[in-house]
Amino acid sequence: MDRRQLADFLRTRRERITPAEVGLPAGHRRRTPGLRREEVAQLAFISTEYYTRLEQARGPRPSREVLAGLTRALRLSDVERDHLHHLAGAPPGPPPGPSREVRPSILALLHRLPQAAAIVLSATYDVLAWNDLAAALMEDFSALPPRDRNLMRRAFLGPRPDGRRLYGVSDVDEFSASAVRNLRATAGRYPDTPEVTGLIRELLDGSEEFARLWAAHDVCAAPALCKTFRHPVVGPVSVNCDVLDISDRDQQVVIYTADPGTPSENALRLLSVVGTQRMDAPL
């Protein structure tokens, strides 16, 4: 255990996080950047005295439970988590589960794409972030509890408003097969994570189609280059589908764009204006 390096690492990680990023008030008497020691301790579920000793390079070797709490409190990436474990003399085990933290720069990117619908997906197909156009094209994710923002549940278990499966996309069968292959690979990376095993069990119990695809044990998925959404208001919207991998978070940014000068581009422009309003609702 390298106490001095561990102390410096914890301090620098603490100082880079603003209170707002973890839902804490900024206050008016902060004399140091970032979080206070007692705030990190609170977020990590350890005592302030114990955390202070760690930052002063005089604490005992932290347990894996403490390291997991510090990883969560300091919003460490997988690479930083591994580094923390090595400094503490406890080689890292498997990742605790798919990351749900989206980098602020990625959130900013979504909102800098006004003519594209964009979402961020976790390794288990949870929609973690989205821009306004994605909400208008697909659904208002902010109106759903986090559990219902999962695209695999939407594809295999419903609900299916207006009889449309997964927002009426033209390649729903291809998406379903690809998603199962990716989930099989995710299960290999996170074999004992309740979030992953619980989702798989739920899909196996609720969908014969998922059970059939899962039994094939395929893990290679071809990317979808284009698809058509059958929107209930503006009609079919054909889009290009580009995926950017965020490897350090095991996440993907999915960006939908329409070819210039097409009816689909006009449909996206209309959706960007009306947002999630129901234009077909009776007056």
Side-chain angles (χ1 to χ4, degrees), residues 163-246:
R164 298 178 304 132
R165 182 185 177 194
L166 195 65
Y167 319 115
V169 295
S170 57
D171 67 337
V172 64
D173 292 333
E174 291 83 355
F175 168 84
S176 299
S178 175
V180 172
R181 295 186 186 108
N182 284 331
L183 185 60
R184 172 68 75 175
T186 296
R189 295 194 298 274
Y190 308 100
D192 301 316
T193 303
E195 177 186 352
V196 177
T197 57
L199 176 63
I200 294 169
R201 184 167 53 252
E202 181 182 353
L203 294 170
L204 285 171
D205 291 342
S207 172
E208 293 182 0
E209 179 188 6
F210 177 85
R212 175 178 56 80
L213 293 169
W214 186 256
H217 285 264
D218 292 332
V219 294
C220 181
L225 300 180
C226 60
K227 63 179 65 188
T228 299
F229 288 85
R230 290 186 289 275
H231 196 276
V233 176
V234 300
V237 183
S238 297
V239 292
N240 303 306
C241 180
D242 294 291
V243 178
L244 308 178
D245 285 320
I246 311 299

Side-chain angles (χ1 to χ4, degrees), residues 16 71 74-82 248-249:
R16 72 177 182 175
T71 296
L74 297 171
R75 305 178 67 152
L76 302 184
S77 68
D78 287 346
V79 173
E80 290 172 325
R81 164 189 168 269
D82 291 351
D248 67 317
R249 299 291 173 97

